[in-house]
């Protein structure tokens, strides 16, 4: 018997008789895991409770909520910090610090890993496995777990790797003024919030700190929660759940289509720092221009893969380095040399020590030395190159909040609204142009910079072009909510289980044919 034959027979035995029937590799799961992301005061917990209520009452799910703050509190003893305070601003600050320490000690996805552990324990306790098979197999459960809330992109990455298509992520956001007023109701004054919002959005103490803005960007859905009640919030959540469960037919809104165009443009960027895309639409919905951040070329436009040996983007030109970073390193050296010559440094201070301190200042945020034109500028310029009218009063969609340089061009171009997905800490747009830029929908003659609400642009294609049948017998399919499956349900079983089932099915078929043929010859 060959080695491969022996291995195959071992795998067939491992599957077992019960596990082999009905020999399917398409057992879809109804189970859901929903991760919520949001800044302090955005109303993540309110959204979690609303989601639970709708999933239980309308979709027939059993729902549990795992609070990240509880996981952090339960594991605080594993750090050098005492248990977080029970209330007020100290509670928020302590949870931030302990969460950072836990991620530093056990990995940046630690909180998500503890949530996964809790989900597995609950599933087992709820009878979620068929113990009659040789290898226990998961049962079909109409169960959902909501995680409130995630703060680091590594947490999202782990949950997606483990749960695949059964994991959905929602970002909940609200303007800073709204969040401040909500926290005030909880007894937390504005003066107590010093550093909390900044640390929440993008902690600069290291990679293991909170990074809500980067985590939010990875979401499947974006929810604006700035109302004084949850009526509007409920309507938005209703639509998203109908999309997840393929209830009736849903198509992209104009904002979703616009942001999808921006993300598509971003994919063309070869910038070594970040990929940004932008798209401009007229008031009538006509696409006027698109842009991405990359190096301009003579004759107009940007370098691209089509330029082949004449492609002089940074990843293949001038030492293949980021020129913005190289210029800033030169700047650190020049500052050190000048201070050293003037005797303004502590004796023995090194260049690396000075550089470390400069990186904690806004000097690290300089963006003036890049070879790339920014996506928003290229979108405006591309409209000018093509001679398209209508940019005054138009709407610009961009994957990242515009920098202050782009912001002044956006205002000067007469664009009325800007929708963005990811905040951008380096931008001074609101500080330098508060006279002409507002952050509310009706900005009263100002250009409104608004956080995007809608289906995540990275998820748009799979949700609006999923290929699931829309009609039956010539009529549109309308599913019952309590029986509807998620639109992209992953299989319950891992790929190794599928391999064994396929091997067993083929082995059974071969054995059956061999038996039939042996009978014919008698």
């Amino acid at each position: 018997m060959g080695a491969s034959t022996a291995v195959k027979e071992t795998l067939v035995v491992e599957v077992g008789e019960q596990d082999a029937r009905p020999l399917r590799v398409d057992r879809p799961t109804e189970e859901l895991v929903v991760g919520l992301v949001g800044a302090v005061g955005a109303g993540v917990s309110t959204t979690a409770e609303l989601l639970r209520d709708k999933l239980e009452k309308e979709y027939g799910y059993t729902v549990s909520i795992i609070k990240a703050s509880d996981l952090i509190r339960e594991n605080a003893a594993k750090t050098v910090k005492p248990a977080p305070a029970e209330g007020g601003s100290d509670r928020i600050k302590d949870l931030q610090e302990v969460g950072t320490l836990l991620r530093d000690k056990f990995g940046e996805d630690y909180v998500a890993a503890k949530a996964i552990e809790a989900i597995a324990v609950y599933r087992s306790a709820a009878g979620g496995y068929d113990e009659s098979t040789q290898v226990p197999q998961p049962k079909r459960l109409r169960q959902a777990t909501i995680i409130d809330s995630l703060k680091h992109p590594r947490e999202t990455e782990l949950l997606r790797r483990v749960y695949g298509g059964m994991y959905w992520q929602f970002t909940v956001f609200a303007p800073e003024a709204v969040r401040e007023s909500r926290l005030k109701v909880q007894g937390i004054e504005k003066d107590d919030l010093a550093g909390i919002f900044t640390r929440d959005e993008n902690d600069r103490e290291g990679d293991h700190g909170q990074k809500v803005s980067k985590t939010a960007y990875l979401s499947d859905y974006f929810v604006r929660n700035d109302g004084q009640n949850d009526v509007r919030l409920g309507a938005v959540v209703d639509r998203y759940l109908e999309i997840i469960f393929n209830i009736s037919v849903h198509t992209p809104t104009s904002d979703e289509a616009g942001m999808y165009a921006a993300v598509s443009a971003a994919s063309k960027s070869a910038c070594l720092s970040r990929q940004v895309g932008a798209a401009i639409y007229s008031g009538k919905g006509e696409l006027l221009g698109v842009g991405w951040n990359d190096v301009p070329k003579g004759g107009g436009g940007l370098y691209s893969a089509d330029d082949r040996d004449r492609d002089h983007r940074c990843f293949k030109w001038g030492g293949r380095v980021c020129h913005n970073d190289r210029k800033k390193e030169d700047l650190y050296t020049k500052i050190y040399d000048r201070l050293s010559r003037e005797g303004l440094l502590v004796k023995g201070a090194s260049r690396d020590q000075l550089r470390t301190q400069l990186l904690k200042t806004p000097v690290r945020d300089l963006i003036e030395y890049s070879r790339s034109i920014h996506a928003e500028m290229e979108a405006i310029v591309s409209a000018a190159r093509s001679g398209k009218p209508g940019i005054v009063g138009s709407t610009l969609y961009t994957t990242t909040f515009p920098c202050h340089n782009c912001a002044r061009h956006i205002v000067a171009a007469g664009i009325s609204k800007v929708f963005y997905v990811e905040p951008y800490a380096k931008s001074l747009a609101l500080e330098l142009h508060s006279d002409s830029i507002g952050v509310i929908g009706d900005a009263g003659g100002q250009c409104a910079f608004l956080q995007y609400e809608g289906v995540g642009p990275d998820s748009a294609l799979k949700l609006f072009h999923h290929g699931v049948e829309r009609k039956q017998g010539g009529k549109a399919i309308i599913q019952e909510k309590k029986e509807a499956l998620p639109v992209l349900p992953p299989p319950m079983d891992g790929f190794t289980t599928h391999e064994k089932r396929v091997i067993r099915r083929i082995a059974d078929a071969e054995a059956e044919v061999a038996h039939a043929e042996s009978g014919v010859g008698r």
Side-chain angles (χ1 to χ4, degrees), residues 39 104 116 137 217 281:
D104 185 32
I116 290 168
Q137 298 299 309
Y217 185 80
Y281 283 80

Side-chain angles (χ1 to χ4, degrees), residues 299-314:
L302 310 177
Y303 288 114
S304 72
D306 294 334
D307 291 304
R308 302 177 186 273
D309 61 335
R310 296 180 61 81
D311 181 355
H312 299 314
R313 290 176 288 180
C314 295

Side-chain angles (χ1 to χ4, degrees), residues 217-243:
Y217 185 80
L218 303 174
S219 291
D220 300 290
Y221 301 93
F222 294 84
V223 183
R224 182 182 300 113
N225 180 30
D226 55 3
Q228 296 185 10
N229 57 49
D230 61 6
V231 174
R232 183 186 175 281
L233 177 63
V236 172
V237 170
D238 278 336
R239 177 174 181 261
Y240 292 165
L241 288 177
E242 288 191 1
I243 291 173

Side-chain angles (χ1 to χ4, degrees), residues 35-51 65 67 146-151 170-173 182 212 225 233:
L36 299 183
V37 183
V40 174
V44 172
S45 295
T46 299
T47 308
E49 292 292 344
L50 186 64
L51 270 169
I65 296 178
K67 295 185 75 69
I146 300 171
I147 305 173
D148 170 15
S149 60
L150 306 174
K151 299 288 186 180
F170 289 62
T171 283
V172 184
F173 64 88
R182 288 174 179 164
V212 170
N225 180 30
L233 177 63

Side-chain angles (χ1 to χ4, degrees), residues 267-313:
S267 67
K268 299 180 182 179
S269 170
C271 183
L272 298 176
S273 296
R274 65 167 67 204
Q275 292 176 292
V276 181
I280 302 174
Y281 283 80
S282 71
K284 296 181 179 180
E286 177 190 7
L287 179 62
L288 301 178
V290 295
W292 55 96
N293 56 324
D294 228 324
V295 180
K297 66 178 180 180
L302 310 177
Y303 288 114
S304 72
D306 294 334
D307 291 304
R308 302 177 186 273
D309 61 335
R310 296 180 61 81
D311 181 355
H312 299 314
R313 290 176 288 180

